[in-house]
């Protein structure tokens, strides 16, 4: 009842995990708890499309990361591009918030400060993002992203 998280794997390791679990017919839930889309912003920690498609096929979960290194170095609006791109790829039932919030005041890598864009540095960002998404998407899709997809994943994990 423990999911495998791809958020800190290399692409090769993620492929190996998918291949290994498929070869042995293991029904282990897989997620990328805090990963965005590499096609939107090139960062090796963001997911390439082939891994996104495999997560979709396996009913996995993809948590949108709020750290600016994974959104865009200078433009916070790109988070909406990540969400739109994911939905266009078919992640309506797989996308969730995976903010990756942490206490960063004592972080040794000062070159990454600030880690988050203003207004995206804690969970209050979810409300702002939900309100903006409601102008573009049906409430059903926004509800899935904001909480229903994560709840589904957890319920299926613990059934």
């Amino acid at each position: 009842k423990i999911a495998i998280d791809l958020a800190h794997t290399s692409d090769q390791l993620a492929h190996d995990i998918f291949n290994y679990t498929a070869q042995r017919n293991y029904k282990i839930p897989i997620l990328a708890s805090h990963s965005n889309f590499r096609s939107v912003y090139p960062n090796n920690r963001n997911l390439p499309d082939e891994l996104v498609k495999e997560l979709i096929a396996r009913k996995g979960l993809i948590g949108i990361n709020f750290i600016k290194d994974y959104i865009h170095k200078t433009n916070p609006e790109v988070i909406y591009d990540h969400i739109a791109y994911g939905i266009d790829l078919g992640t309506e039932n797989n996308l969730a918030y995976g903010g990756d919030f942490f206490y960063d005041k004592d972080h040794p890598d000062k070159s990454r400060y600030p880690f988050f864009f203003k207004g995206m540095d804690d969970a209050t960002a979810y409300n702002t993002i939900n309100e903006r998404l409601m102008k573009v998407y049906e409430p059903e899709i926004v509800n899935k992203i904001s909480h229903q997809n994560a709840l589904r994943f957890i319920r299926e994990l613990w059934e």
Side-chain angles (χ1 to χ4, degrees), residues 5-126:
D5 190 354
L6 304 179
H8 291 268
T9 65
S10 65
D11 293 351
Q12 184 59 56
L13 178 56
H15 285 290
D16 289 347
I17 289 167
F18 283 131
N19 290 333
Y20 183 84
T21 57
Q23 288 170 355
R24 285 159 180 74
N25 200 29
Y26 291 152
K27 302 297 181 203
I28 300 171
I30 301 177
L31 76 155
S33 63
H34 51 289
S35 301
N36 295 341
F37 301 98
R38 195 174 299 164
S39 291
V40 175
Y41 187 71
N43 182 305
N44 286 339
R45 287 271 309 279
N46 287 342
L47 295 169
D49 291 354
E50 68 271 10
L51 292 178
V52 172
K53 291 174 183 174
E54 188 63 30
L55 281 164
I56 292 168
R58 294 185 185 220
K59 297 183 181 177
L61 194 67
I62 300 168
I64 291 292
N65 191 328
F66 284 51
I67 295 176
K68 70 179 183 179
D69 285 351
Y70 308 106
I71 297 170
H72 189 277
K73 289 280 190 191
T74 59
N75 186 355
E77 294 294 307
V78 175
I79 196 163
Y80 299 103
D81 297 336
H82 284 283
I83 293 168
Y85 187 81
I87 290 172
D88 287 346
L89 275 181
T91 64
E92 176 183 326
N93 296 313
N94 311 88
L95 204 57
Y97 294 137
D100 200 16
F101 302 123
F102 59 93
Y103 181 78
D104 65 353
K105 302 304 179 235
D106 297 326
H107 196 281
D109 187 355
K110 302 298 182 199
S111 70
R112 294 180 65 193
Y113 277 90
F115 280 89
F116 301 93
F117 292 110
K118 185 169 175 50
M120 290 188 187
D121 50 354
D122 62 36
T124 60
Y126 299 155

